[in-house]
Amino acid sequence: MRTISAALMTLAALTPPTVPGRVFVDATAAVGIQFRHQSGAAGRKYLPETMGSGGAFLDADGDGWLDVLLINSKTWSGGSRTRHALYRNNANGTFSDVTARSGLGVEMYGMGVAAGDYDNDGRVDVYITGLGGNRLFHGSGGGTFVDVTGKAGVAADGFSTSAAWLDYDADGKLDLFVARYVDWSIGTDLFCTLDGQTKSYCTPESYKGQSGILFHNRGDGTFEDVTRAAGLYDPTAKALGVALLDFDNDGKLDLFVANDTQPNRLYRNRGNGTFVDVGTTAGVAFNEAGVARAGMGVDAADFDGSGRTSLVIGNFSNEMMALYANEGNGLFIDEAPTSTVGRASLLTLTFGCFFFDYDLDGLLDIFAANGHVADDISRVQPRVRYAQPPHLFRQVGTRRFEAVTDKAGPDLLQPMVARGAAFGDYDRDGDLDVLVTTNNGRARVLRNDGLENRALRLSLRGTTSNRDAVGARASVRLTDGTRRTQMVKTGSSYLSQSELPLTFGLGASGAVEAIEVTWPSGRTEKVSGALPGQTLVIEEGRGIVDRVPFLAPARSSTGPRGR
């Protein structure tokens, strides 16, 4: 992360919260992002048209500022040209479109994205999933990328959706898991209808599933397909979301796969290169009635301060979201049906979703990006809309949430046909902003305005472990005895990726007593001397190697933030 002179920076204002919500402002136009997703929809109702696409917060050029990558699809006829789009952060509250020189502006029927430094050279690499073949782009520095798909052997085929970089065997190199959906092509497209006459988008139950793929990193720029050997081959899968977690706290990365109309999978890492599915016995495969739901996006985090990783899953309308609390005995309990999360999400269809502390009070909140798949759904279900506002659930106590979308600003109340969602501090003021992609529409940047609470951010860098420190767990202990734990992870949400640095909200007066980092290599290190209002860069084996103060926010509801 780039060090910036203290003369150019000021600490963020640290004032007690005055309202329960934080205002999110649609800053898309102000920051200079002008992207519209092209689904190819032209009345034929091909299934992939309604499923994409995603986006990511990533530091594409290594300058310490988060850039934005947005994934595009294309028309079926090949008439108009479409491209993915990379927007470079100008470090002044605005972005510039640098797609043309980046090497990422290829045309494909894109779906999702996962970013990670798979060769530990200090430059981020990008994997883009899609229909009929995926692409791997190796970072060559300065925000430029080279397509190495053929050499690496990770093209795959079929209908790929979400993906995640992970070091499942703890050898210091990032491997790659790719979720796949159904066996669909124009030639096998079926006629489905909601009203018995007009064609509509088919449910995944109409098509056969496709197994996800685990690619093992050989360390020489190539990968091998180890799906079957690892115990992950599942031809019944219809996967849309994937999350990394260590649900049993044994130090090994597990995988959660959210399936659409098929049982969800919780793959426990045995530590010998293989996984075993424990989803059914853990209680996360089905709903309370024993029925598989339409799992979309998913995220994993210790949201209740128990030290155990729980799950939030986006599901179809009339199914409500799932909020699986980890009980610590191998079982999860879905808290959603008896909570605000379930009641508020009953009629919405959630794709992207994640845990994050939007108000920096130390309790993880939930964001959910909503939008139906059928543009004519209101004709057969009058209470369900195609475009839907997001959900913002503020945690008000252990496992208790309140719906605060209507308190977080009018821009958050705007209906969207949302798909992907990611969070990141793009303006480096210490709070978390949100990126939302929409189907066949414009992407949106929702800037988090104001800093009422203290925060501390950690950017972890592995040495023996993978350089991105994916799988590392950081625990922050406050002077009042409170301990908060987060894990560095890729993937999660839906077709999207959030930033890798960890943000710990400290409340109005929280003070940090100690930080403990457990690296994927197994090494545990304690760090002291942490003050709020900054990002600490912590390197495995060296401790704190840089401190970057937050920038003071410009409290404007319209224009970009000043520096």
Side-chain angles (χ1 to χ4, degrees):
M1 181 176 291
R2 182 177 63 190
T3 302
I4 294 183
S5 169
L8 299 177
M9 309 179 74
T10 58
L11 290 177
L14 303 172
T15 56
T18 56
V19 294
R22 177 82 53 82
V23 174
F24 281 92
V25 174
D26 188 339
T28 314
V31 302
I33 289 181
Q34 301 174 334
F35 174 86
R36 292 190 68 88
H37 172 245
Q38 167 63 267
S39 72
R44 288 167 289 190
K45 298 295 179 73
Y46 291 149
L47 178 61
E49 295 172 355
T50 195
M51 302 305 295
S53 63
F57 277 122
L58 75 168
D59 185 359
D61 52 8
D63 67 352
W65 294 84
L66 285 178
D67 309 304
V68 170
L69 176 60
L70 296 162
I71 306 305
N72 215 338
S73 304
K74 65 176 184 178
T75 62
W76 301 108
S77 63
S80 61
R81 306 287 289 179
T82 59
R83 296 288 188 272
H84 311 310
L86 178 64
Y87 286 89
R88 181 183 184 272
N89 194 325
N90 297 322
N92 64 358
T94 67
F95 292 82
S96 295
D97 188 338
V98 295
T99 310
R101 66 177 181 83
S102 71
L104 295 175
V106 302
E107 185 176 37
M108 59 183 287
Y109 203 94
M111 293 296 294
V113 57
D117 183 4
Y118 73 84
D119 57 355
N120 295 324
D121 66 353
R123 299 187 292 264
V124 68
D125 309 303
V126 173
Y127 188 74
I128 299 177
T129 67
L131 183 69
N134 309 326
R135 302 283 189 93
L136 175 61
F137 296 91
H138 180 255
S140 50
T144 62
F145 297 82
V146 176
D147 190 335
V148 296
T149 311
K151 174 188 174 183
V154 292
D157 57 9
F159 191 165
S160 298
T161 53
S162 295
W165 294 98
L166 73 161
D167 184 6
Y168 76 94
D169 53 359
D171 65 354
K173 301 182 292 292
L174 289 179
D175 311 298
L176 178 65
F177 180 81
V178 183
R180 294 195 299 174
Y181 194 36
V182 296
D183 187 4
W184 179 93
S185 68
I186 291 178
T188 60
D189 182 68
L190 300 174
F191 184 93
C192 300
T193 179
L194 291 175
D195 59 9
Q197 296 179 340
T198 308
K199 185 179 182 183
S200 188
Y201 293 108
C202 294
T203 73
E205 294 168 299
S206 304
Y207 299 97
K208 294 180 180 179
Q210 290 188 325
S211 176
I213 303 174
L214 178 63
F215 290 107
H216 176 255
N217 188 340
R218 292 189 178 106
D220 60 358
T222 69
F223 294 76
E224 60 179 327
D225 182 344
V226 296
T227 311
R228 292 179 185 270
L232 295 178
Y233 182 71
D234 178 13
T236 69
K238 298 176 181 180
L240 292 176
V242 58
L244 309 182
L245 71 164
D246 179 8
F247 77 94
D248 51 2
N249 289 334
D250 66 353
K252 296 182 283 290
L253 269 182
D254 309 308
L255 273 173
F256 183 88
V257 177
N259 279 315
D260 188 356
T261 70
Q262 292 293 309
N264 297 322
R265 305 294 188 187
L266 176 58
Y267 291 108
R268 182 174 63 82
N269 190 334
R270 289 169 162 162
N272 61 357
T274 68
F275 295 80
V276 59
D277 177 29
V278 297
T280 300
T281 57
V284 296
F286 307 94
N287 67 8
E288 290 181 318
V291 177
R293 287 183 277 192
M296 307 292 182
V298 59
D299 193 21
D302 174 15
F303 82 96
D304 57 3
S306 65
R308 302 183 295 270
T309 307
S310 299
L311 295 158
V312 62
I313 306 171
N315 292 311
F316 214 76
S317 55
N318 298 306
E319 290 184 339
M320 74 177 55
M321 296 173 65
L323 180 60
Y324 286 111
N326 189 336
E327 298 299 303
N329 55 2
L331 295 175
F332 290 75
I333 301 297
D334 190 359
E335 301 279 345
T338 58
S339 74
T340 300
V341 173
R343 292 191 294 271
S345 64
L346 180 59
L347 296 180
T348 51
L349 197 166
T350 298
F351 277 90
C353 57
F354 50 73
F355 293 106
F356 75 143
D357 187 0
Y358 85 94
D359 55 359
L360 303 178
D361 66 351
L363 300 175
L364 291 183
D365 313 299
I366 296 172
F367 182 88
N370 305 316
H372 210 277
V373 296
D375 53 9
D376 54 354
I377 186 62
S378 60
R379 290 196 297 112
V380 292
Q381 296 186 45
R383 297 177 63 196
V384 178
R385 295 290 181 264
Y386 180 48
Q388 304 169 358
H391 291 308
L392 180 62
F393 297 108
R394 178 176 182 261
Q395 190 174 174
V396 294
T398 304
R399 301 187 182 183
R400 292 187 296 112
F401 292 85
E402 63 175 344
V404 295
T405 308
D406 59 347
K407 300 177 183 177
D411 290 347
L412 203 63
L413 284 170
Q414 297 302 309
M416 295 181 262
V417 186
R419 293 296 183 260
F423 63 83
D425 182 15
Y426 80 85
D427 50 5
R428 289 181 34 171
D429 65 356
D431 57 21
L432 295 172
D433 312 298
V434 173
L435 173 70
V436 180
T437 64
T438 65
N439 183 257
N440 221 30
R442 69 183 182 96
R444 304 190 190 193
V445 173
L446 299 171
R447 191 184 64 222
N448 192 337
D449 269 2
L451 270 176
E452 294 109 355
N453 286 323
R454 295 173 180 254
L456 176 69
R457 285 167 53 82
L458 305 181
S459 179
L460 305 185
R461 184 185 302 160
T463 52
T464 304
S465 304
N466 67 86
R467 195 178 191 281
D468 283 338
V470 174
R473 292 200 299 182
S475 292
V476 173
R477 188 173 74 249
L478 306 185
T479 52
D480 64 2
T482 303
R483 182 184 294 270
R484 293 158 188 163
T485 303
Q486 295 187 42
M487 187 180 79
V488 180
K489 58 183 186 289
T490 65
S492 290
S493 190
Y494 175 72
L495 306 179
S496 303
Q497 183 162 308
S498 298
E499 64 171 359
L500 296 187
L502 307 176
T503 297
F504 290 86
L506 305 176
S509 58
V512 177
E513 184 173 277
I515 299 171
E516 184 175 285
V517 179
T518 301
W519 300 91
S521 65
R523 179 201 299 252
T524 297
E525 297 176 325
K526 294 184 178 180
V527 178
S528 59
L531 295 175
Q534 61 184 328
T535 298
L536 300 182
V537 182
I538 301 175
E539 187 172 292
E540 184 178 11
R542 293 184 59 198
I544 299 173
V545 296
D546 201 359
R547 301 172 186 264
V548 183
F550 299 161
L551 293 173
R555 296 173 183 267
S556 166
S557 61
T558 54
R561 298 193 173 206
R563 288 289 181 262

